[in-house]
Amino acid sequence: MHILGIDIGGSGIKGAPVDIETGELLAERLRIKTPKKGEPEPIAEVVNQIAQSFKWDGPIGIGFPAPIKAGVTLMAANVSEKWVGTNADALFTKITGCDCTMINDADAAGLAEMAFGAGRGQPGTVIMVTLGTGIGSAIFHRGQLLPNTELGHLEIDGEDAEFRASAVAREREKLSWSKYAKRLNKYLKTLEKLFWPNLFIIGGGISKDSEKFLPLLTIETHVIPAKLLNEAGIVGAALGAKGIH
Ligand code: BGC
């Protein structure tokens, strides 16, 4: 089955048709800049533009950086406030004329890694953590996703964890890799104490530099980088639309 996967981020909106049995992209992905204020309708127009460029009229799966329940966006940490309470599935379906299903971006990346990447065949509890503008999380037990976990917003030392340990926090504070590894270690240690996972998978753009910080971590749990890198969001969004979770 083929589904158009779309990954909405703060700077870019990326999409490609996906073969959800193999996890392969069926065409080169298209990336369009995220409209300035990141509001619902202009973003939906970009999604429509991507769908049209692939002459798409089938189902579309869309990953978005917020918790989503029954198609409704529930919170806005790094996106426009206008998303809160928006029925995103209905808005995207109206504008594209295709059947659209929205899913949290980290849940999407996790689904893709569990099906085709670093988490494939991993039993027990797996926590996927995406490090980008924010911190996204996806928890799996025996391959089953517990959606919308939002563990980037755990409070650590009186602050939102993502404010101190996201990839953007490293850039903003110009942290060395060793200083950043300490921050990430503290974050993962907190998750470790709460969930006792069997495996952490680290995703997000920063995972391409994983050899610079993963070896510096001292937590007990095995930590590995994501495998699908910037394709995970697109592939997982497509899987989300099929309801493979
Ligand atoms: C959002 C999450 C999202 C994560 C990664 C957080 O700020 O609340 O929904 O998964 O960023 O994009």
Side-chain angles (χ1 to χ4, degrees):
M1 185 178 187
H2 298 171
I3 295 181
L4 181 64
I6 306 244
D7 183 15
I8 299 177
S11 53
I13 301 177
K14 294 153 270 177
V18 179
D19 179 334
I20 60 160
E21 268 84 44
T22 62
E24 274 163 28
L25 302 194
L26 298 160
E28 201 177 318
R29 70 186 188 132
L30 176 63
R31 182 185 191 276
I32 297 179
K33 265 185 142 181
T34 306
K36 268 217 178 76
K37 290 184 198 148
E39 291 178 356
E41 295 227 352
I43 286 194
E45 294 296 349
V46 172
V47 169
N48 190 34
Q49 219 179 313
I50 295 177
Q52 285 187 356
S53 81
F54 291 110
K55 299 187 173 45
W56 198 257
D57 61 3
I60 304 181
I62 302 162
F64 189 77
I68 321 278
K69 228 187 217 170
V72 178
T73 322
L74 297 171
M75 192 181 80
N78 295 306
V79 295
S80 155
E81 282 291 328
K82 293 206 169 147
W83 283 96
V84 180
T86 294
N87 188 327
D89 281 12
L91 174 71
F92 284 94
T93 299
K94 187 177 106 204
I95 290 188
T96 61
C98 299
D99 184 10
C100 291
T101 308
M102 191 94 144
I103 177 176
N104 171 261
D105 59 352
D107 285 347
L111 285 176
E113 288 294 333
M114 293 303 286
F116 307 113
R120 201 172 188 168
Q122 294 285 349
T125 300
V126 179
I127 304 186
M128 166 102 190
V129 172
T130 64
L131 303 169
T133 307
I135 295 182
S137 60
I139 303 185
F140 295 84
H141 182 60
R142 296 189 180 157
Q144 195 73 23
L145 172 67
L146 173 66
N148 294 321
T149 47
E150 293 293 326
L151 298 179
H153 300 294
L154 272 180
E155 193 180 306
I156 301 180
D157 292 339
E159 260 167 338
D160 217 24
E162 69 176 21
F163 181 70
R164 289 182 59 82
S166 69
V168 161
R170 186 187 76 84
E171 289 161 16
R172 190 184 59 235
E173 298 186 45
K174 300 190 175 54
L175 298 175
S176 64
W177 286 110
S178 76
K179 284 215 167 107
Y180 180 65
K182 276 198 189 125
R183 296 245 182 127
L184 185 61
N185 205 65
K186 183 159 201 178
Y187 176 63
L188 295 178
K189 222 178 174 67
T190 307
L191 297 187
E192 194 175 51
K193 277 194 302 197
L194 294 172
F195 298 98
W196 301 97
N198 301 82
L199 177 70
F200 282 116
I201 302 174
I202 305 296
I206 201 173
S207 59
K208 66 177 186 317
D209 288 317
S210 61
E211 80 286 353
K212 295 186 182 137
F213 62 98
L214 290 193
L216 306 177
L217 300 177
T218 59
I219 56 166
E220 298 281 316
T221 313
H222 193 41
V223 188
I224 57 174
K227 271 200 185 140
L228 304 175
L229 299 179
N230 53 17
E231 281 183 11
I234 295 173
V235 173
L239 291 179
K242 178 71 186 1
I244 307 182
H245 57 90

